[in-house]
Amino acid sequence: KFDLTSSRVAIRQGTGPRTPLFFCAAGRQRCLRCLFTMGFFGAQVTAEGEVLQVEIQPDMVLNVTNVSSGTAAGDLQVATTDTGFLTICNLEDKGQWATNLKFAFEDSPVEFRAQGDGSSFAVTGFWEQVAEEDDEEWDEEDEDALEEALQKMIAEGAQKRKRSRDEAEGEAGAEGNGAATEEEVTLTPEEEERKAKRAAKKARRAARDEERRAIAAAFAQAEKEDSAAREAAEEAAGVGRRVAKPKDRVLKGNLRVMDRIIGNGKPVRKGKQVRLTYEGFLKKEDGRMFDSNMNRGRPFKFRMGTREVIEGLDRGVEGMKVGGVRRITVPAALGYGAKGTKDGMIPPNSTLVFVVEIVGAQQ
């Protein structure tokens, strides 16, 4: 456990006995998974079952504003001192979620973990310092105004009590008893003073909460504008249109496809050659990648409808356009079946997940 002077937070990671996540030297705190500088918060949550723990100091509030996923779908779960692990979002691969979650000292320690084969999440936000001394500073600066308001309230209360007594003296019987009851519920000057202080403190707290909401809204608006500008630039460059809410489509044989980006031009056709980049993952194993051509310097090409590749991939790219990105989930029956591959990279009865991008097609 390392206490970070600048960010007022300590981080630990691991299951069972907590193990240190990073080291501190020369006033800087850096690691492969987390970065804390000048109020920014960023953490990488990876590997199913591995826990990232954040401890929050009494004068700090952690604001989580964005969660993005890696190349595999999964759930991000969070636990506080009062609750067990709860799922706060479910994202597909390379998905994003804009949020406004706040964690205070009372919630500490806050723990994050990823659930799902090969899932990973980048959690970002910012630290906010809560100035506990605000109440005292406010009282000193506005003491005269508060005193004047309290005296005015006390005087008004005294006048009301006097009128009640005068009315009670001129009435008899039940009216007199009613006046006594009225006198019993009247606040004393000390009670009036305490009531006024509570009201002033509540107003200050409401003002601070409103300021925090305004900061969070500004962050969310900035992220929204950045996303809109990025999508406009991609569309102008001809790289296709992003799908706002991608969903799985189930085809014959339980073949599933999910479009993330719709490309441009005409859809690819059977009998024509198609060129693509791809990444292949095992869904029901450990989510590991079994093949990819992303770093080979040239796309993979095949002629559609001629069974040059497994049936699930051949049928899965039907209808795509150049520049399009699609996730294809291939059941074992449309992949390598009950035998798997001879080299053992793909076990028997494996469901495969491909993320493909069409980079060229014969028209």
Side-chain angles (χ1 to χ4, degrees):
K1 175 180 175 181
F2 295 88
D3 182 28
L4 306 186
T5 305
S6 61
S7 63
R8 311 287 184 87
V9 67
I11 298 298
R12 295 180 296 183
Q13 179 194 17
T15 56
R18 303 297 182 185
T19 55
L21 178 61
F22 57 86
F23 299 92
C24 174
R28 297 183 179 180
Q29 298 80 34
R30 295 180 181 273
C31 75
L32 294 177
R33 297 180 182 271
C34 294
L35 175 65
F36 294 85
T37 55
M38 301 300 291
F40 172 77
F41 171 80
Q44 188 77 13
V45 184
T46 60
E48 183 175 358
E50 189 172 336
V51 176
L52 175 71
Q53 185 181 85
V54 181
E55 294 186 1
I56 304 174
Q57 298 300 312
D59 59 346
M60 300 298 293
V61 173
L62 172 60
N63 297 266
V64 175
T65 59
N66 187 267
V67 178
S68 59
S69 63
T71 57
D75 298 339
L76 178 64
Q77 298 184 339
V78 64
T80 66
T81 186
D82 296 326
T83 66
F85 278 101
L86 301 174
T87 299
I88 61 173
C89 69
N90 174 274
L91 295 179
E92 298 297 335
D93 57 286
K94 300 181 181 178
Q96 287 200 17
W97 179 49
T99 182
N100 181 23
L101 299 177
K102 292 180 178 289
F103 300 101
F105 171 70
E106 292 78 9
D107 303 315
S108 183
V110 179
E111 295 183 328
F112 297 89
R113 73 179 182 187
Q115 292 289 295
D117 295 341
S119 61
S120 65
F121 297 91
V123 183
T124 59
F126 61 95
W127 290 99
E128 180 181 6
Q129 185 170 7
V130 180
E132 297 293 342
E133 65 275 7
D134 284 351
D135 290 348
E136 297 181 1
E137 292 179 358
W138 190 91
D139 290 340
E140 293 175 0
E141 295 174 357
D142 299 286
E143 184 177 355
D144 294 339
L146 178 60
E147 181 67 24
E148 182 179 350
L150 290 174
Q151 293 298 332
K152 183 178 179 180
M153 292 179 67
I154 293 172
E156 291 176 352
Q159 291 176 1
K160 290 180 181 179
R161 289 193 295 275
K162 186 176 184 301
R163 285 196 297 269
S164 297
R165 286 195 298 269
D166 292 342
E167 292 174 359
E169 290 174 357
E171 298 176 356
E175 295 179 348
N177 293 333
T181 303
E182 177 73 19
E183 185 69 22
E184 289 175 1
V185 299
T186 301
L187 297 178
T188 65
E190 292 78 8
E191 292 172 336
E192 294 278 4
E193 182 177 358
R194 287 195 295 270
K195 181 179 179 180
K197 285 185 176 181
R198 287 194 297 268
K201 186 175 181 179
K202 183 178 180 181
R204 292 195 300 275
R205 187 182 299 113
R208 286 198 298 268
D209 290 343
E210 182 64 27
E211 183 179 2
R212 293 169 184 166
R213 285 192 291 269
I215 293 174
F219 269 86
Q221 181 63 26
E223 291 176 354
K224 182 178 180 181
E225 292 174 356
D226 289 345
S227 178
R230 183 176 62 254
E231 291 180 5
E234 290 175 347
E235 185 174 357
V239 298
R241 174 177 58 83
R242 289 181 179 270
V243 179
K245 295 181 178 180
K247 295 183 179 180
D248 264 330
R249 290 186 291 119
V250 183
L251 307 180
K252 183 179 179 181
N254 201 31
L255 178 67
R256 294 174 177 267
V257 297
M258 176 189 291
D259 287 305
R260 304 305 300 270
I261 296 178
I262 305 298
N264 299 287
K266 297 180 180 180
V268 296
R269 298 179 298 165
K270 288 184 178 180
K272 300 296 183 179
Q273 189 181 80
V274 62
R275 299 187 300 277
L276 54 85
T277 60
Y278 69 89
E279 291 180 326
F281 302 88
L282 297 177
K283 182 178 181 180
K284 292 186 178 180
E285 297 294 321
D286 54 4
R288 62 179 172 85
M289 181 187 298
F290 65 83
D291 194 14
S292 172
N293 73 334
M294 299 293 288
N295 298 322
R296 296 176 187 173
R298 63 181 185 277
F300 174 72
K301 58 185 179 180
F302 67 93
R303 191 172 301 276
M304 292 179 55
T306 59
R307 298 297 179 91
E308 294 179 6
V309 296
I310 59 174
E311 182 180 355
L313 183 59
D314 195 348
R315 289 173 45 199
V317 299
E318 289 182 9
M320 293 185 68
K321 301 176 182 180
V322 175
V325 176
R326 176 180 289 182
R327 189 184 75 178
I328 305 171
T329 304
V330 180
L334 301 180
Y336 292 92
K339 295 182 178 180
T341 57
K342 293 181 179 180
D343 59 6
M345 287 294 293
I346 300 178
N349 299 313
S350 292
T351 298
L352 310 178
V353 178
F354 291 93
V355 179
V356 303
E357 178 180 0
I358 303 297
V359 298
Q362 185 182 29
Q363 299 298 328

